[in-house]
Amino acid sequence: MTQPQTKLRAHAKDSAIFIVVVLVAVLAFAVYTAALTATLAQEVLDNAVEENTSRADAMHAVLNGQLSDEDFTQINTADDMDTELYEELQARLNQIRNMNSIRYFYTAKRNVDGQLVYVVDGFDRESAGSDFRRPGDLIEDEMVPYISQALAGQAVYSQEIIDSDWGHIFTACYPITSNETGEVMGVLCIEADMEGTYTFIASRQQTLVNTGIVAGFIVLGLLGLAFWRIHRIRAREKQDQDAIVEVNKRLQEALTESTEHAEVVSALATMYATILQINLVDHSYATIDSTPLVSSVVGKKGTIDDVVDAVLDTFVTESMRGQMAEFFDVSTVAERMGSSDTIMAEYRDTHGRWLQSRYIAKSRDAAGAVTEVLYCARDFTDEKRLELDLRDQLQKAAEEARRANVSKTSFLRRMSHDIRTPLNGIIGMMHVMDRYEDDPAKQVECKEKILHSADYLLDLVNNVLDLSKLESGAMELEHKPFHLGKMLLASLPVVETNASENGLTFVGGREASHMVHMNLLGSPTHVNRVLMNLAGNAVKYNRPGGTVKVYVDEIASDDNTATYQFHCEDTGLGMSEEFQKHAFEPFSQEGKQTTTSFSGSGLGLSIVEDLVEKMGGSLEFTSKENVGTQFVVTLTFDLDKSAADPVAIPAPATGVDVSGCRALLVEDNALNMEIAHMMLEELGLVVNEAGNGQEALDAFKASELGSIYFIFMDVMMPVMDGLEATRQIRALHRADAATVRIIAMTANAFAEDKQACLNAGMNAHVGKPIELAAVREALATCA
């Protein structure tokens, strides 16, 4: 073969190799570009989904616990859009949506027909147009699976971007549970617009394609040059090939760096309004993105030391300029960052907004020191205010917990003292009685002191229970007919007797009162409690030979109501001006000597104030130390139009003769059984006993018809309680089951306890400790 033929064949071979190499190179660039494009798209989408997931969780955290049952149960149709509940919730959702650049933010639930419907749409009602959804509108089909899963109790995030009628969106759905039942009431849904992300991806994909094409042409050119040089200089073949590999490597690195830089800047731009690239070596900077105001101060590029003062004066409030001057000092940034990737500072600007500034490490030298950073700044006023509000709430909660703990400790200390004092008197007097068992006069004296101590202890327990019910909101007022004159006639003699026993003069009373209307509707038990607490203090904090005056004046009336002033005055010890500031606080006591053996619990005035406030009245007082105190309680009552005011008030009944009548006494406590048995026999009753409700039911069933006239029933007993026993007795098929008088005799003494007894079928109620007068009154009402 001739040399030209050899050269021709070699040339043909090289040409074939060149064509194959070109085809392979084109295919490789095509595959690489496609893979890089897909990777970029997936990374951007993953970052967007992660960012939207975090944003959705933060929005859910803000609202979680603030949504109430009424936010779902009271909003059902478009007619509910005019309610204050809807408008407040819609405005709150819209505000949070705008703050977080979220497209849709709404609540949803399943209606009575089992369909998924909107409740409150957080879209702006003025600009939303047809996109706005009203209560009761059906949920779109693409959102049904997510909301259904959330209603099952699970927070749901879309695993893929949803292509809806409005474009590409990311969605998150959170179940909202009831604060009362713990059941899922509805769903809080967040839909983020992903169109910007897809636009960004398309733009970057096109950039990569263009870059790939350019790189392809460069590679083709280099391959052509290599082919030409192969034919010219075979000896330099390997050197040229190495050069091509090196060029390709540098092109790849440049392409990768350019892509990463673009992605970082793009991601930061979505979070920060201002981004500067700063060289920590020569202190130069270049503005990547900024607001017009920032651009007017720092420009496009320059030296950071030349603009720091202007930045401080323009953007930082005066009180924080020293702190931020240290943060902006770029000569110390590398040292402050160390191995950290970022450092951050917060400050208020001259307009009161909160800004966050951050340095992010961009590059480091061989020793690991930061040489270049990105400076980023953003307005996070709303987040900061929320943080400060939460901090205030935590501080207030901590302070309230501390006060509650102090109050509990103080309460236990006071209760220990106030309970032990009368108990000490009771136990002590019993020892004295044992010592003077042959001295009748001393025995009577000790018994009176024991009863006095027991009365004080009972009053203390009643006061503590009343205060507890008032503070918890469990105290319920009555609204029943009562006669004001009869109430005064029953209670004021007790005050008069108490005053006389303590060497005081009682004046006023029913005769000194001026009332036109007597038949009223209200809560007589609590009115009487207010009057007796005030009168009790007037007696207790008086001086020997002093006076107590209690009377009532009707000051106004119309066709439906009447207003009264209850006056309680004394010539006693009075209160100092300092103590008057705390007179109505629970357990407040000035420590003055009283006319009685005990100084009181310090709860009376606190209970009076709470009761008067609960009854819609007012309480005023004046007091001067060593002169006396005057209280005026003003209360308004509805008139009882079903009853006519009598001209005269009949005297209360003195009792009823029950001698010889058979009574069944039901009591599980042996000591209480013995006491009650003695009292009932003192009234002339013939008493049979039963240890619980079941025994009482069996005894009544076994008795002759009409032989048992009264049943005195305890409530809390083993086997069967008194309420159930009463219901079963009333349900018996015998003539006397409906007529036998059943009287509750129990320590359950609250108004609701009394009502529960009456609802069960009892005729009257007597509270423990049992007083003979109360038993006589109960017998008189049902005999």
Side-chain angles (χ1 to χ4, degrees):
M1 186 177 295
T2 63
Q3 187 175 3
Q5 288 177 327
T6 302
K7 290 184 178 180
L8 180 62
R9 179 173 293 183
H11 181 74
K13 182 179 178 181
D14 290 341
S15 298
I17 293 174
F18 175 75
I19 293 173
V20 172
V21 170
V22 168
L23 291 176
V24 171
V26 171
L27 180 60
F29 271 106
V31 172
Y32 172 76
T33 302
L36 190 60
T37 300
T39 301
L40 171 64
Q42 188 60 47
E43 288 181 354
V44 172
L45 281 177
D46 289 345
N47 290 338
V49 168
E50 182 179 354
E51 177 184 350
N52 283 320
T53 298
S54 299
R55 188 181 305 172
D57 288 343
M59 294 170 66
H60 170 248
V62 170
L63 269 183
N64 189 31
Q66 296 183 15
L67 292 174
S68 65
D69 294 16
E70 290 77 9
D71 293 332
F72 288 89
T73 60
Q74 300 299 319
I75 301 175
N76 297 290
T77 67
D79 295 336
D80 298 324
M81 292 173 65
D82 294 330
T83 64
E84 182 179 352
L85 178 65
Y86 176 90
E87 291 179 350
E88 287 181 356
L89 182 54
Q90 201 277 334
R92 196 186 324 159
L93 292 179
N94 187 30
Q95 181 185 18
I96 296 174
R97 182 187 67 82
N98 288 328
M99 286 167 50
N100 291 274
S101 301
I102 292 297
R103 181 158 190 173
Y104 301 109
F105 190 34
Y106 57 90
T107 56
K109 67 178 182 179
R110 196 179 297 279
N111 65 13
V112 295
D113 297 326
Q115 298 172 308
L116 296 179
V117 297
Y118 285 88
V119 180
V120 177
D121 188 356
F123 218 151
D124 193 328
R125 296 171 63 179
E126 300 296 331
S127 61
S130 61
D131 280 353
F132 184 76
R133 295 295 182 263
R134 293 167 172 75
D137 287 355
L138 294 178
I139 295 295
E140 288 74 19
D141 292 340
E142 60 268 19
M143 289 302 298
V144 167
Y146 298 97
I147 295 178
S148 297
Q149 192 173 350
L151 284 173
Q154 180 180 357
V156 184
Y157 305 93
S158 55
Q159 299 302 311
E160 58 184 6
I161 303 304
I162 301 174
D163 190 4
S164 69
D165 294 339
W166 306 292
H168 297 88
I169 61 172
F170 161 86
T171 184
C173 298
Y174 301 89
I176 302 300
T177 57
S178 169
N179 294 328
E180 298 177 359
T181 66
E183 297 179 352
V184 177
M185 303 180 296
V187 176
L188 178 68
C189 294
I190 301 165
E191 297 182 21
D193 193 341
M194 297 291 287
E195 283 303 309
T197 301
Y198 273 81
T199 301
F200 172 78
I201 291 172
S203 170
R204 291 300 177 265
Q205 287 176 337
Q206 186 60 49
T207 300
L208 286 174
V209 170
N210 293 339
T211 303
I213 292 173
V214 171
F217 279 110
I218 292 174
V219 171
L220 289 177
L222 291 173
L223 287 175
L225 178 62
F227 178 76
W228 178 71
R229 289 180 63 83
I230 286 172
H231 286 282
R232 293 189 61 187
I233 311 174
R234 285 280 187 176
R236 298 184 59 185
E237 180 178 358
K238 190 175 184 310
Q239 181 181 356
D240 290 342
Q241 289 177 347
D242 292 342
I244 291 173
V245 171
E246 182 63 25
V247 169
N248 283 333
K249 179 180 178 181
R250 292 180 180 178
L251 285 174
Q252 177 61 40
E253 291 176 350
L255 179 62
T256 301
E257 183 178 357
S258 175
T259 302
E260 291 177 349
H261 179 73
E263 289 177 354
V264 170
V265 171
S266 177
L268 289 175
T270 63
M271 300 174 59
Y272 295 94
T274 298
I275 304 176
L276 276 66
Q277 183 171 307
I278 303 175
N279 188 308
L280 300 182
V281 178
D282 60 12
H283 294 190
S284 63
Y285 71 89
T287 303
I288 297 175
D289 194 10
S290 69
T291 64
L293 180 58
V294 173
S295 295
S296 68
V297 176
V298 303
K300 291 293 184 181
K301 59 184 178 178
T303 301
I304 200 69
D305 300 326
D306 296 338
V307 298
V308 166
D309 291 340
V311 169
L312 289 170
D313 293 340
T314 305
F315 298 107
V316 183
T317 186
E318 185 175 357
S319 62
M320 303 184 76
R321 286 174 187 169
Q323 166 191 339
M324 291 309 297
E326 295 180 2
F327 182 78
F328 289 147
D329 184 1
V330 295
S331 64
T332 63
V333 168
E335 179 182 354
R336 282 183 279 145
M337 293 189 72
S339 60
S340 300
D341 292 328
T342 180
I343 58 174
M344 180 269 292
E346 300 173 357
Y347 66 93
R348 297 189 72 174
D349 69 5
T350 53
H351 299 287
R353 296 186 301 258
W354 280 96
L355 301 180
Q356 184 184 82
S357 292
R358 184 181 296 275
Y359 290 117
I360 301 174
K362 185 175 182 295
S363 59
R364 297 176 180 269
D365 60 18
V370 180
T371 58
E372 196 171 23
V373 295
L374 292 178
Y375 168 80
C376 307
R378 69 186 184 99
D379 184 331
F380 77 126
T381 301
D382 293 331
E383 300 169 44
K384 188 65 176 180
R385 286 175 179 168
L386 179 61
E387 175 192 333
L388 294 175
D389 289 343
L390 290 174
R391 185 184 303 168
D392 289 342
Q393 292 175 17
L394 289 174
Q395 289 177 345
K396 290 178 181 178
E399 179 62 20
E400 289 175 0
R402 186 192 66 79
R403 291 179 180 174
N405 189 53
V406 171
S407 177
K408 179 185 71 175
T409 303
S410 176
F411 170 80
L412 293 175
R413 185 174 62 252
R414 289 177 180 274
M415 284 300 96
S416 176
H417 172 271
D418 289 350
I419 290 174
R420 288 172 184 271
T421 298
L423 283 178
N424 181 65
I426 293 171
I427 296 171
M429 284 299 101
M430 293 177 67
H431 289 309
V432 172
M433 290 177 68
D434 289 340
R435 183 174 181 181
Y436 294 95
E437 59 182 5
D438 296 329
D439 187 343
K442 197 67 174 178
Q443 292 281 318
V444 171
E445 178 188 348
C446 289
K447 289 177 182 177
E448 289 178 350
K449 291 180 179 180
I450 288 174
L451 288 174
H452 184 58
S453 296
D455 287 341
Y456 171 80
L457 193 58
L458 177 62
D459 185 61
L460 174 63
V461 171
N462 288 335
N463 278 338
V464 171
L465 292 176
D466 281 348
L467 184 66
S468 174
K469 292 175 74 67
L470 284 166
E471 290 182 343
S472 65
M475 177 74 76
E476 295 184 3
L477 298 178
E478 302 169 307
H479 191 260
K480 67 179 185 180
F482 73 99
H483 193 284
L484 183 57
K486 290 181 180 180
M487 187 197 79
L488 295 178
L489 205 59
S491 59
L492 293 186
V494 177
V495 179
E496 184 175 5
T497 300
N498 192 16
S500 177
E501 289 176 350
N502 289 279
L504 306 175
T505 301
F506 177 82
V507 296
R510 170 70 183 87
E511 297 75 14
S513 300
H514 303 284
M515 298 173 289
V516 177
H517 301 89
M518 300 285 191
N519 293 299
L520 308 173
L521 294 171
S523 189
T525 302
H526 299 106
V527 175
N528 188 63
R529 187 64 185 275
V530 168
L531 200 58
M532 294 302 287
N533 275 12
L534 293 177
N537 280 351
V539 172
K540 187 179 301 178
Y541 298 103
N542 216 309
R543 65 181 75 252
T547 61
V548 175
K549 184 176 183 180
V550 181
Y551 63 97
V552 182
D553 285 336
E554 183 176 337
I555 61 173
S557 65
D558 55 30
D559 292 338
N560 299 310
T561 62
T563 302
Y564 302 83
Q565 284 188 338
F566 296 80
H567 298 263
C568 182
E569 305 171 1
D570 66 71
T571 59
L573 305 178
M575 292 180 273
S576 65
E577 292 184 2
E578 178 61 28
F579 180 72
Q580 291 179 37
K581 301 174 184 178
H582 310 283
F584 295 101
E585 295 178 3
F587 305 105
S588 293
Q589 294 174 299
E590 195 167 10
K592 293 184 176 181
Q593 182 66 39
T594 64
T595 59
T596 61
S597 302
F598 302 102
S599 61
S601 62
L603 296 174
L605 287 183
S606 177
I607 293 173
V608 166
E609 183 183 45
D610 288 343
L611 285 175
V612 170
E613 181 180 350
K614 195 170 182 66
M615 289 188 286
S618 63
L619 174 62
E620 300 175 353
F621 80 98
T622 57
S623 183
K624 189 173 183 180
E625 201 165 12
N626 298 320
V627 175
T629 303
Q630 299 85 39
F631 282 93
V632 179
V633 176
T634 304
L635 295 171
T636 299
F637 302 97
D638 292 332
L639 299 178
D640 182 9
K641 297 183 178 180
S642 64
D645 286 320
V647 175
I649 303 171
T654 58
V656 61
D657 185 10
V658 293
S659 299
C661 293
R662 184 171 298 280
L664 178 61
L665 175 59
V666 189
E667 171 64 64
D668 65 313
N669 182 276
L671 181 59
N672 288 340
M673 176 75 82
E674 181 180 354
I675 295 171
H677 194 127
M678 180 194 68
M679 286 186 172
L680 296 181
E681 286 188 337
E682 187 175 337
L683 295 173
L685 291 168
V686 178
V687 182
N688 292 343
E689 297 180 352
N692 55 60
Q694 184 63 54
E695 291 183 11
L697 178 62
D698 295 340
F700 186 77
K701 287 181 179 178
S703 68
E704 295 183 8
L705 191 66
S707 62
I708 296 179
Y709 200 79
F710 296 102
I711 299 178
F712 292 89
M713 184 76 74
D714 189 15
V715 172
M716 297 182 66
M717 295 180 292
V719 185
M720 181 185 292
D721 63 48
L723 299 179
E724 181 60 27
T726 299
R727 284 190 284 265
Q728 294 201 27
I729 289 173
R730 295 298 189 202
L732 294 175
H733 297 291
R734 51 186 285 171
D736 58 351
T739 59
V740 63
R741 283 76 168 170
I742 303 179
I743 300 171
M745 189 174 284
T746 174
N748 298 347
F750 288 121
E752 56 266 34
D753 299 320
K754 297 178 183 178
Q755 190 60 48
C757 293
L758 299 178
N759 292 342
M762 299 187 188
N763 301 95
H765 179 283
V766 175
K768 293 179 182 177
I770 303 168
E771 295 182 358
L772 204 55
V775 177
R776 287 196 180 98
E777 183 179 349
L779 290 171
T781 60
C782 64

